[in-house]
């Protein structure tokens, strides 16, 4: 799940939405799924051309960092991407989980139970299908490959379908994916840890207690969280537990609410009062802006106005340089400027105290993951040569992964949600039909990022890893086609005239 991930997407379906620009399109998080798709295509094309050798050699190169002859870091570029950079992806996933539980669609058991039971079914049934085809084989350990959902890809598909997708389907898919991610991360922590070094586990617990203490004391300095979080990550890395789990644990300790103190609030109030009276006093000295009626309707008029404003300001600066103000006037100007800067600095400082640390970090990480880390991960891992070296008969990997994602996901999600509703332990969201649940189940079978990540952990043989990646790509394509066909057949296009606003 990416990037990119599913936080506060806005689908505006009024007249203005029809004129949305490329910039507005890119700002949607689901665009990360489209970018991910192109990264996969490029990797597959390069890997199956004459550049395939260079492609593999680049990822096999090592990064070394030594101090005094002691080699501290010796890691390949591929492992650096998968283990280090992807930790930022898992950090964002953890932040999104916590935000949804605190404020979003996962807040409260009744709100979350329907999606959670669907996610549980989407984890169990694909695993059973995979194990059926791979029991008593060395590949049985790879059941985690067939149970993960890539939210970025799924949201990218919904983005391409546009206005016709009801808001309830989007919310259900997002909450389902968040719960699915939590299950997948738990599987990584439990089943893909080979050997545990308990000394580093105990040290990591100490760092975890420190982070929890920071949270309890409402510490707002993010640098402290990241400093201790890096130490926690290193301890888990050396302990044998996959280090990305440390990123999720760090995310859970980041404060998810703002607790501005009375002192800070009063300081902010005083600063705003000063800003108000200072602005009111200076209003008579400010030069009024000329009307810019041509700016929005006439691009040439806006450009001409810009040139005019530039020459006017240049003339004024040259005039002040030739005929400078007196020392007393300059002193008064500097004093006023100092007051303005001091007031604004106070507002900024106290406003920072009131900001939500969780949202601040997520706001920074979302574009970093959506437009760089996750596409880079896809480009580095999806380049599988399709030729004589690819063996489709390695145990039952191909059938287990493809059928697990394509059939296991929708069957598990549909069965468990309906069963939870019949048993009256979950309540179906209003407007969500059975065919909507099945369509979301098909899209949940798009299991790229997390599935690829697990494949690198689950298999020892490079041939098995390559086959798993081809199986994931095949299953994701089939699942996307089935999901799109199902949604197109069961939804209606919303007319541009209808005043509808869909919001995540």
């Amino acid at each position: 799940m990416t990037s990119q991930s599913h936080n506060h997407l806005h689908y505006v379906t009024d007249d203005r939405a029809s004129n949305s620009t490329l910039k507005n399109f890119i700002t949607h998080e689901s665009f990360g799924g489209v970018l991910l798709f192109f990264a996969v295509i490029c990797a597959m094309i390069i890997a199956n051309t004459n550049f395939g050798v260079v492609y593999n050699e680049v990822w096999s190169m090592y990064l070394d960092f030594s101090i005094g002859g002691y080699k501290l870091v010796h890691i390949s570029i591929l492992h650096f991407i998968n283990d280090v950079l992807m930790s930022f992806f898992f950090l964002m996933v953890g932040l999104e989980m916590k935000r949804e539980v605190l404020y979003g669609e996962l807040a409260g058991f009744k709100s979350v139970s329907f999606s959670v039971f669907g996610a549980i079914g989407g984890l169990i049934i694909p695993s059973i299908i995979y194990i059926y085809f791979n029991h008593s084989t060395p590949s049985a350990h790879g059941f985690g490959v067939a149970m993960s959902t890539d939210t970025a890809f799924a949201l990218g598909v919904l983005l391409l379908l546009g206005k016709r997708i009801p808001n309830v389907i989007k919310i259900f898919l997002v909450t389902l994916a968040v719960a699915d991610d939590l299950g997948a991360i738990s599987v990584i922590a439990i089943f893909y840890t080979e050997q545990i070094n308990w000394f580093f586990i105990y040290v990591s617990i100490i760092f975890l207690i420190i982070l929890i203490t920071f949270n309890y004391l409402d510490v707002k300095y993010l640098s402290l969280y990241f400093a201790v979080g890096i130490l926690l990550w290193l301890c888990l890395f050396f302990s044998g537990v996959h280090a990305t789990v440390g990123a999720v644990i760090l995310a859970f300790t980041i404060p998810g609410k703002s607790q501005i103190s009375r002192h800070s609030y009063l300081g902010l109030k005083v600063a705003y009062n000063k800003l108000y009276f200072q602005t009111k006093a200076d209003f008579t000295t400010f030069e009024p802006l000329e009307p810019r009626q041509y700016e929005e309707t006439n691009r040439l008029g806006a450009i001409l106005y810009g040139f005019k404003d530039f020459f006017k300001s240049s003339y004024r600066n040259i005039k002040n340089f030739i005929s400078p103000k007196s020392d007393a006037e300059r002193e008064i100007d500097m004093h006023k400027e100092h007051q303005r800067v001091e007031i604004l600095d106070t507002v900024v400082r106290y406003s920072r105290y009131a900001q939500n640390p969780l949202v601040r970090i997520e706001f920074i990480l979302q574009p970093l993951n959506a437009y760089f880390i996750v596409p880079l991960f896809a480009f580095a891992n999806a380049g599988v040569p399709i030729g004589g070296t690819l063996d489709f008969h390695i145990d039952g990997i191909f059938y287990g992964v493809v059928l697990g994602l394509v059939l296991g996901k929708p069957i598990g999600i549909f069965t468990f949600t309906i069963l939870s509703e019949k048993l009256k332990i979950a309540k179906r969201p209003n407007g969500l039909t059975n065919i909507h649940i099945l369509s979301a189940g098909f899209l949940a079978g798009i299991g790229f990022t997390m599935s690829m990540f697990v494949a690198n952990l689950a298999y020892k043989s490079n041939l098995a890893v390559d086959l798993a990646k081809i199986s994931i790509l095949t299953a994701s394509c089939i699942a996307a086609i089935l999901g799109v066909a199902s949604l197109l057949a069961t939804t209606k296009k919303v007319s541009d005239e209808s005043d509808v606003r869909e919001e995540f």
Side-chain angles (χ1 to χ4, degrees), residues 54 59 62 80 94 122 137 279 292 294 461:
V54 178
W59 306 126
Y62 276 82
F80 178 80
T137 69
T279 304
R292 301 177 67 175
Y294 298 107
S461 168

Side-chain angles (χ1 to χ4, degrees), residues 365-424:
L365 289 179
Q366 195 277 334
L368 178 65
N369 281 284
Y371 306 139
F372 176 65
I373 292 179
V374 175
L376 179 62
F377 171 84
F379 184 71
N381 287 273
V384 180
I386 303 175
T389 59
L390 195 62
D391 185 4
F392 284 90
H393 301 289
I394 299 177
D395 301 329
I397 294 178
F398 182 78
Y399 294 106
V401 173
V402 173
L403 295 180
L405 289 173
V406 174
L407 296 181
K409 273 292 185 180
I411 292 174
I413 292 171
F414 185 82
T415 303
F416 274 63
T417 51
I418 298 300
L419 185 61
S420 66
E421 184 184 31
K422 296 296 183 183
L423 296 176
K424 297 183 178 180

Side-chain angles (χ1 to χ4, degrees), residues 220 257-260 268 349-356:
K220 290 295 192 299
K257 57 184 178 180
S258 175
Q259 295 180 347
I260 184 170
L268 187 60
R349 185 171 67 255
Y350 285 123
S351 298
R352 187 180 296 115
Y353 295 156
Q355 288 179 0
N356 188 321

